[in-house]
């Protein structure tokens, strides 16, 4: 087997530096919440492929569904010859989606593709062009979704100019000094100074910001956005790419608020590691685009659809909504014990619904000044100790915990032990 060091050298020579890798290791095999690298080292996986593997690496039911589909056909292009797994998955998602009235679903491949097509659908349905998003939000790396992303570095650096008619309002985060009222007032400023509401097709946000630091959108903010959209004929798009499919203890993160969006974008955990995304929304909105206006050669791969149908079965059969809540409570309690200890680096802001859990590294105990350098050290130490861990946040100060929801209690505790070791003072 080729060693990590050899593979790193080959990677440097063959792959451009623009695509970074958080951990300088190469996967050799993985099972549920464990991964072994090319050097044979075992890691507990608290990243889950960036919230993709809610059902764990290689869940047996998912693998069996994929194997069965591989024995039938792997690709036809849905626009050429349709297939039942696509339709069956659309039916399942339509039944699950928290939207008002009948729903329809179209499938794609990546999260960014889903978000971009949600905007296309919104523009077709409203006859309008502008989009409003929020600071700290992450929506993808295409030109449009990059423009919608509310973070300049590293996502927009060197890639301008951005597409027109994309506007940003501040996302309400109390400890950054931004209240719900501040955010709503900023939207009114945008309507007065930049674009009248009659030209806005959609307002887009994540129910829990991912790359922005795992900050949940306050329920009263989502309710206010719903009212504002209804008042002005604007569509509300909720980006569930990272929060969806049991991660927050609900099938969709927006369900914690009771708000019903017009369109929902999904990806990541939908297909258990296979590339698949989609837009689910109110049927009359989804039907606004003309035939042939939407699609993609690989969109809604039959293999990925088979995997996704199995993922939805696993979520129900293994009670992963309740499991996400239980694991989250266990994790937050352990983090709370870290917060009070003087022998560990100072942390604050333990948060997140279900198992979309995060905390911040801060400069001083009891304070909220972010310490991104400390967070980077912690992820490095964790990797050395056999734990794959990711950071995020506006200042890089946030550690996010994205263990598979199928992780056994003992393995979760072992991972938290390794996190504790990584947090020890120098």
């Amino acid at each position: 087997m080729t060693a990590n060091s050899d593979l790193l050298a080959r990677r440097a020579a063959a792959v451009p530096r623009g695509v970074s890798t958080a951990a300088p290791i190469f996967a050799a095999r993985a099972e549920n919440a464990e991964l072994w690298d090319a050097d044979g080292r075992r890691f507990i996986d608290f990243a889950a492929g960036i919230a993709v593997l809610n059902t764990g690496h290689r869940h047996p039911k998912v693998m069996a569904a994929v194997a069965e589909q591989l024995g039938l056909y792997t690709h036809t292009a849905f626009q050429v010859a349709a297939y039942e797994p696509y339709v069956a998955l659309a039916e399942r998602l339509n039944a699950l989606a928290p939207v008002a009235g009948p729903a329809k679903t179209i499938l794609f491949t990546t999260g960014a593709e889903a978000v971009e097509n949600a905007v296309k659908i919104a523009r077709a349905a409203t006859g309008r062009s502008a989009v409003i998003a929020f600071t700290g939000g992450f929506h993808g790396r295409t030109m449009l979704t990059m423009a919608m992303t509310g973070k300049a570095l590293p996502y927009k650096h060197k890639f301008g100019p951005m597409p027109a008619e994309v506007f940003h309002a501040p996302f309400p985060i109390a400890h950054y000094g931004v209240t719900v009222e501040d955010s709503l007032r900023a939207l009114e400023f945008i309507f007065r100074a930049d674009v009248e509401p009659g030209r806005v097709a959609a307002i887009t946000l994540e129910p829990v910001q991912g790359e922005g630091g795992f900050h949940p959108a306050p329920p009263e903010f989502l309710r206010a956005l719903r009212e504002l959209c209804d008042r002005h004929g604007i569509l509300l798009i909720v980006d569930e790419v990272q929060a969806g499919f049991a991660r927050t203890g609900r099938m969709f993160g927006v369900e914690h608020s009771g708000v019903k969006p017009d369109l929902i974008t999904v990806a990541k955990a939908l297909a258990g590691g296979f590339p698949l995304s989609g837009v689910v929304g109110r049927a009359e909105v989804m039907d606004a685009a003309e035939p042939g206006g939407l699609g993609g050669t690989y969109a809604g791969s039959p293999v990925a659809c088979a995997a996704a149908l199995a993922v939805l079965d696993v979520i129900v059969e293994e009670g992963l909504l309740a499991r996400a809540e239980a694991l989250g409570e266990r994790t937050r309690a352990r983090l709370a014990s870290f917060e009070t200890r003087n022998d560990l680096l100072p942390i604050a802001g333990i948060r997140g619904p279900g198992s979309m859990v995060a905390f911040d590294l801060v400069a001083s105990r009891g304070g909220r000044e972010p310490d991104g350098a400390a967070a980077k050290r912690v992820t490095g130490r964790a990797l050395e100790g056999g734990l794959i861990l990711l950071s995020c946040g506006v200042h890089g100060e946030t550690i996010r915990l994205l263990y598979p929801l199928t992780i056994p209690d003992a393995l979760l505790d072992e991972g938290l032990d390794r996190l504790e070791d990584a947090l020890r003072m120098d």
Side-chain angles (χ1 to χ4, degrees):
M1 183 181 293
T2 308
N4 279 328
S5 57
D6 294 334
L7 289 168
L8 282 168
R10 288 168 57 188
R11 180 200 192 284
V15 180
R17 66 192 185 96
V19 55
S20 61
T21 304
I25 60 172
F26 285 79
R29 63 185 179 93
E31 202 75 35
N32 197 1
E34 297 173 280
L35 181 147
W36 287 263
D37 74 357
D39 292 341
R41 291 187 62 204
R42 169 183 173 267
F43 296 86
I44 298 172
D45 188 355
F46 272 23
I50 319 180
V52 165
L53 301 164
N54 289 0
T55 52
H57 291 276
R58 304 180 63 253
H59 190 287
K61 182 154 190 165
V62 175
M63 299 307 292
V66 167
E68 181 179 359
Q69 182 59 47
L70 287 173
L72 300 173
Y73 53 90
T74 61
H75 176 76
T76 65
F78 192 74
Q79 298 97 299
V80 175
Y83 35 87
E84 185 178 2
Y86 188 120
V87 177
L89 180 57
E91 291 170 337
R92 293 280 294 273
L93 292 173
N94 294 341
L96 290 168
V99 300
K104 288 192 175 184
T105 293
I106 183 169
L107 300 174
F108 299 102
T109 308
T110 69
E113 196 179 1
V115 174
E116 187 140 335
N117 277 277
V119 172
K120 288 168 63 176
I121 292 166
R123 286 175 167 173
T126 63
R128 305 173 180 184
S129 52
V131 179
I132 296 175
F134 292 89
T135 57
F138 181 84
H139 299 291
R141 297 176 185 270
T142 63
M143 288 304 295
L144 178 59
T145 58
M146 180 172 55
M148 293 168 64
T149 291
K151 187 176 181 181
L153 292 172
Y155 306 117
K156 303 182 186 183
H157 182 55
K158 295 185 176 182
F159 298 139
M162 296 294 115
E165 293 203 294
V166 175
F167 305 92
H168 290 92
F171 188 81
I173 301 173
H175 77 269
Y176 288 161
V178 182
T179 66
V180 168
E181 292 72 22
D182 292 333
S183 295
L184 295 174
R185 191 178 305 113
L187 286 169
E188 294 300 328
F189 289 160
I190 289 173
F191 290 154
R192 288 203 298 268
D194 295 316
V195 58
E196 68 271 22
R199 210 170 83 235
V200 178
I203 294 177
T204 307
L205 80 165
E206 300 163 281
V208 182
Q209 286 200 331
E211 297 298 318
F214 276 36
H215 298 290
E220 65 271 25
F221 183 56
L222 284 164
R223 289 192 290 268
L225 289 180
R226 178 71 276 174
E227 191 279 329
L228 182 137
C229 286
D230 290 341
R231 187 180 350 133
H232 294 297
I234 298 169
L235 297 181
L236 180 61
I237 301 173
V238 172
D239 184 339
E240 293 271 359
V241 167
Q242 188 159 170
F245 302 106
R247 174 55 58 182
T248 70
R250 303 286 178 90
M251 191 63 75
F252 299 99
V254 74
E255 291 181 275
H256 290 276
S257 70
V259 168
K260 294 186 176 183
D262 299 296
L263 297 168
I264 300 170
T265 59
V266 296
K268 286 191 182 289
L270 172 58
F274 291 84
L276 186 66
S277 67
V279 182
V280 191
R282 294 194 291 118
E284 64 269 29
V285 174
M286 295 293 292
D287 276 336
E290 296 295 328
L294 303 173
T297 301
Y298 295 106
S301 157
V303 177
C305 287
L309 288 165
V311 164
L312 294 178
D313 287 342
V314 169
I315 290 173
V316 174
E317 293 166 4
E318 300 189 14
L320 294 189
L321 300 183
R323 181 65 177 159
E325 293 281 11
L327 290 168
E329 289 177 9
R330 190 183 189 100
T331 299
R332 286 186 292 272
R334 185 72 182 276
L335 293 175
S337 73
F338 296 167
E339 193 172 19
T340 61
R341 287 174 47 181
N342 293 323
D343 61 326
L344 302 181
L345 292 169
I347 69 171
I350 299 166
R351 59 186 177 273
S355 282
M356 199 165 178
V357 178
F359 63 91
D360 298 329
L361 272 294
V362 291
S364 60
R365 205 166 309 281
R368 289 312 307 263
E369 182 183 349
D371 192 342
K376 187 173 182 179
R377 292 198 305 274
V378 168
T379 59
R381 289 176 182 173
L383 190 69
E384 291 173 4
L387 176 68
I388 300 174
L389 202 60
L390 296 175
S391 61
C392 62
V394 175
H395 305 284
E397 78 275 25
T398 303
I399 300 293
R400 50 180 161 171
L401 307 182
L402 287 168
Y403 43 78
L405 304 179
T406 50
I407 190 172
D409 286 351
L411 198 57
L412 176 72
D413 291 342
E414 184 183 351
L416 293 172
D417 288 343
R418 296 183 183 194
L419 174 59
E420 179 181 349
D421 289 339
L423 285 168
R424 293 189 187 280
M425 299 283 282
D426 292 327

